Amino acid sequence: MTPIVTCKGLSHSYEDIHALGSIDLSVNEGELFGFIGPDGAGKTTLFRIIASLTEHFKGDVKVLGYDPAKEYKEIRKRIGYMPGRFSLYHDLTVEENLKFYAAVFGNDVDSNYHLISDIFDQLAPFKKRRAGKLSGGMKQKLALSCALIHQPELLILDEPTTGVDSVSRIEFWDVLSRLKESGMTILVSTPYMDEARRCDKIALMQKGEILMTDSPLGISESFLGDLMEIRHQDRFRILDLLRLEHGESSAYLFGQTIHLVTNNHSVDDIEVLLTKNGIDDAVVQPLNPSIEDCFIQLMGGKDD
């Protein structure tokens, strides 16, 4: 398959802040490629370099065959970029923003309306409303429409659904799936694991490095050890007990439950341990590892 984005030994620092370190990455044509990681993992810096918005970096980067440090004009003609913060003109209406961004790329809305029709039709009742007065979900749909209006080959979306209601998130990702089916290559970062599972591949990032790159299924299957879920109202007491017995990194809070990583221990073994310590009403059951569990395991290994 044709690589659309390649990075080899990519690193970048902001003065004394190490943002990216030796990133190796290859994104193929037509992939919906997700990036997962906490704040400060380097996702935005990576996207800004790929989008030719950050010039000073070390390593080799190619985007659609171009060098973003030297051939940024060619790249910017061919990509759509949607930053994490809403960056359209608040005082322009929905319709005016869209016409402006089409004109920037030498296009008009009518010529490429087919690219955004299923998104913009939802915005039609608000086309005379100023962008700053839209809801979070509608702002993101407008921003995506503006990023698509010039028919980009590569779409780059930096946490596009953060702070958006769950219904709008689902609708937004349905649109991305349709764009992917049309052959568009999409890079997207997200803090939501349900969204990550809709990607073809995902890269898990932490402290400026990629810990692992694979399909969502491949990452889940890479988990080392057996995983159990424990439910009980006294979570913190059980957590301390399990860490004392199985090691500090073996147990961690997961929402209202505890996840325990073991080797060759059964549910009965854990129940016996808890009963010996006066806890006989906990619910213990085996669990299939999720992407979150794999990420936690990788981060724990990294700290070691």
Side-chain angles (χ1 to χ4, degrees):
M1 298 182 68
T2 304
I4 295 297
V5 177
T6 58
C7 302
K8 295 181 181 179
L10 172 61
S11 64
H12 179 73
S13 297
Y14 297 102
E15 296 181 353
D16 296 332
I17 301 174
H18 181 70
L20 293 175
S22 194
I23 296 290
D24 292 325
L25 176 70
S26 180
V27 179
N28 291 322
E29 183 177 6
E31 283 186 328
L32 176 50
F33 201 112
F35 294 80
I36 314 298
D39 290 345
K43 304 185 299 299
T44 296
T45 299
L46 177 60
F47 279 14
R48 285 182 62 83
I49 290 173
I50 293 171
S52 77
L53 299 175
T54 298
E55 294 182 1
H56 303 291
F57 57 84
K58 296 179 180 179
D60 181 63
V61 181
K62 287 290 186 294
V63 180
L64 298 164
Y66 298 100
D67 181 340
K70 300 176 181 177
E71 300 169 293
Y72 58 89
K73 290 183 180 180
E74 295 300 324
I75 290 174
R76 293 177 189 178
K77 293 176 185 176
R78 294 167 168 81
I79 68 168
Y81 176 62
M82 186 173 160
R85 181 178 297 180
F86 184 69
S87 60
L88 302 184
Y89 292 97
H90 288 237
D91 291 337
L92 295 183
T93 66
V94 168
E95 189 175 44
E96 289 168 342
N97 265 291
L98 191 60
K99 287 181 177 179
F100 173 78
Y101 277 90
V104 166
F105 290 96
N107 291 301
D108 61 83
V109 175
D110 292 338
S111 297
N112 287 333
Y113 190 76
H114 64 284
L115 296 169
I116 62 167
S117 59
D118 58 343
I119 313 168
F120 200 77
D121 285 350
Q122 300 176 47
L123 286 164
F126 312 102
K127 64 181 181 180
K128 300 298 183 182
R129 183 176 297 182
R130 292 185 179 183
K133 298 296 184 181
L134 295 172
S135 67
M138 287 299 178
K139 283 181 178 178
Q140 299 305 74
K141 289 172 184 174
L142 175 58
L144 180 59
S145 295
C146 289
L148 289 170
I149 196 60
H150 61 294
Q151 198 166 357
E153 298 172 51
L154 172 65
L155 183 62
I156 304 171
L157 310 172
D158 192 359
E159 296 197 356
T161 59
T162 299
V164 176
D165 66 271
S166 58
V167 173
S168 294
R169 287 206 297 119
I170 292 171
E171 290 175 349
F172 192 95
W173 273 82
D174 287 343
V175 170
L176 294 190
S177 295
R178 290 193 290 273
L179 290 172
K180 187 260 178 185
E181 289 171 1
S182 73
M184 186 175 292
T185 307
I186 304 171
L187 305 185
V188 57
S189 61
T190 175
Y192 302 113
M193 295 300 170
D194 60 320
E195 294 182 352
R197 285 188 282 271
R198 298 187 66 167
C199 297
D200 297 315
K201 287 185 181 177
I202 53 178
L204 304 180
M205 294 188 68
Q206 168 75 349
K207 297 180 180 178
E209 298 183 11
I210 293 180
L211 305 180
M212 186 178 188
T213 301
D214 206 336
S215 67
L217 179 61
I219 287 179
S220 296
E221 290 179 342
S222 72
F223 190 83
L224 301 176
D226 301 316
L227 187 66
M228 295 186 193
E229 178 186 76
I230 301 165
R231 294 181 177 273
H232 192 269
Q233 61 184 4
D234 198 353
R235 299 192 306 280
F236 294 99
R237 181 187 169 201
I238 293 178
L239 185 66
D240 290 339
L241 175 63
L242 292 174
R243 286 177 171 175
L244 182 64
E245 182 74 18
H246 294 277
E248 187 66 25
S249 63
S250 64
Y252 48 91
L253 293 175
F254 198 95
Q256 297 299 308
T257 70
I258 295 171
H259 283 191
L260 173 66
V261 183
T262 72
N263 289 297
N264 302 318
H265 288 86
S266 66
V267 169
D268 290 341
D269 294 333
I270 305 304
E271 289 177 341
V272 168
L273 172 64
L274 296 178
T275 300
K276 286 182 178 178
N277 286 271
I279 303 171
D280 57 6
D281 57 344
V283 177
V284 183
Q285 59 186 15
L287 190 67
N288 291 324
S290 65
I291 297 172
E292 297 99 314
D293 292 303
C294 296
F295 200 172
I296 290 170
Q297 186 174 75
L298 286 168
M299 287 194 296
K302 202 70 177 177
D303 291 339
D304 292 339

